[in-house]
Amino acid sequence: MTSRPIRIAMWSGPRNISTAMMRSFGGRSDCAVTDEPFYGAFLKTSGQRQPMADEVIASMDTDWSSVARTMRGPVPDGQAIWYQKHMPHHMVGDVSIADFPDHRHAFLIRDPERVVASYAAKRVEVTADDLGYERQLDYIDRTSQISGNPPIILDSADILRDPEAHLKALCAALEISWDAGMLRWPAGTRDTDGIWASHWYGRVVETTGFGGPDKDPTALTEQQQRVADSCQAYYEKLKGYAIRLSSAP
């Protein structure tokens, strides 16, 4: 009897090493990856004029229900695991995390000051809604109620400090085997990268593994600091649930 494929939904804010995490899962021998499948639907619905918005919309399925069906459908290339990179703040349409009851959900977080500093380098303006902390917390509450299990949360700083230990803990929490291919990957772009990679993925494309520990963020403007401060309480609550190394096998 063929075992059922495992679908993993990783919910992350922007500039949370989410693309590096996608590279990590793409380094497994048993895993397909998908890059922000609701991004086009989000841009079309919200009207946000983000970089390359027209190109993104034209390149993707922008029907919320259709995208959701695809994410619940056959796994690309018949792989045993399907890693789906999602952004909570993209979910402004008529589907939500509740539409993926059979996925194994995990959440990637990062200190707001570091997120704002990184995000602001790519966009002139950034708001708290752009960063998705409040919706991450809402989604964590929902998944915990549905599954009855503690949420699976990783802090980006922990991963960068000790990738192997925290990735092993993540695999244990997701009930999948460890694969050392998650630590190293070839540099360059991927066919699975979104069309927006040319704007957003400059440094990640050059990497072959996770970088070293997070550096202190550059100084923020007063407006940027207000955005970071408005997200801090959400982040602290999320961080309280984050995976500890004692949960590693």
Side-chain angles (χ1 to χ4, degrees):
M1 180 180 295
T2 303
S3 60
R4 295 179 61 186
I6 296 168
R7 293 173 178 81
I8 298 169
M10 179 65 80
W11 300 91
S12 169
R15 321 310 292 173
N16 276 210
I17 70 166
S18 57
T19 306
M21 184 65 77
M22 182 174 67
R23 288 284 189 271
S24 177
F25 273 83
R28 295 178 62 99
S29 61
D30 59 356
C31 189
V33 301
T34 294
D35 192 8
E36 300 181 34
F38 289 101
Y39 191 24
F42 163 72
L43 290 173
K44 184 176 180 180
T45 301
S46 69
Q48 281 202 18
R49 301 309 303 165
Q50 294 190 359
M52 301 183 67
D54 292 338
E55 294 91 334
V56 172
I57 291 169
S59 72
M60 302 185 74
D61 182 354
T62 59
D63 180 271
W64 292 94
S65 296
S66 174
V67 177
R69 285 194 299 271
T70 298
M71 294 302 102
R72 296 190 301 260
V75 178
D77 302 320
Q79 294 280 32
I81 299 173
W82 188 0
Y83 179 89
Q84 301 171 8
K85 172 189 167 192
H86 294 293
M87 297 279 172
H89 71 284
H90 286 173
M91 307 302 287
V92 298
D94 56 1
V95 299
S96 74
I97 198 169
D99 291 275
F100 305 100
D102 296 323
H103 282 56
R104 300 181 187 182
H105 298 280
F107 299 84
L108 186 62
I109 63 173
R110 191 183 186 192
D111 179 87
E113 287 192 356
R114 288 174 165 81
V115 174
V116 172
S118 179
Y119 203 62
K122 291 290 185 178
R123 290 181 62 195
V124 175
E125 297 180 0
V126 61
T127 70
D129 286 343
D130 291 325
L131 306 186
Y133 288 97
E134 187 172 6
R135 183 163 280 137
Q136 270 190 315
L137 199 54
D138 173 53
Y139 276 11
I140 284 166
D141 288 341
R142 291 203 211 182
T143 57
S144 297
Q145 290 172 12
I146 293 170
S147 68
N149 298 317
I152 301 172
I153 302 176
L154 276 171
D155 193 306
S156 300
D158 292 335
I159 299 169
L160 293 174
R161 186 174 61 252
D162 192 341
E164 183 171 356
H166 286 88
L167 289 171
K168 284 182 175 179
L170 173 62
C171 288
L174 290 168
E175 299 182 350
I176 61 175
S177 63
W178 165 245
D179 187 324
M182 296 178 72
L183 293 173
R184 306 292 296 178
W185 53 81
T189 58
R190 305 285 190 275
D191 290 341
T192 49
D193 290 346
I195 194 173
W196 53 89
S198 60
H199 178 84
W200 293 103
Y201 295 174
R203 291 184 62 187
V204 176
V205 167
E206 300 170 0
T207 66
T208 57
F210 289 99
D214 232 349
K215 298 178 181 178
D216 289 337
T218 56
L220 303 178
T221 66
E222 289 186 10
Q223 187 274 336
Q224 291 165 354
Q225 189 65 55
R226 285 195 295 271
V227 171
D229 290 345
S230 71
C231 297
Q232 192 65 36
Y234 295 115
Y235 168 70
E236 293 297 335
K237 188 168 184 179
L238 291 164
K239 188 176 180 180
Y241 296 123
I243 284 176
R244 302 287 184 261
L245 285 183
S246 60
S247 61

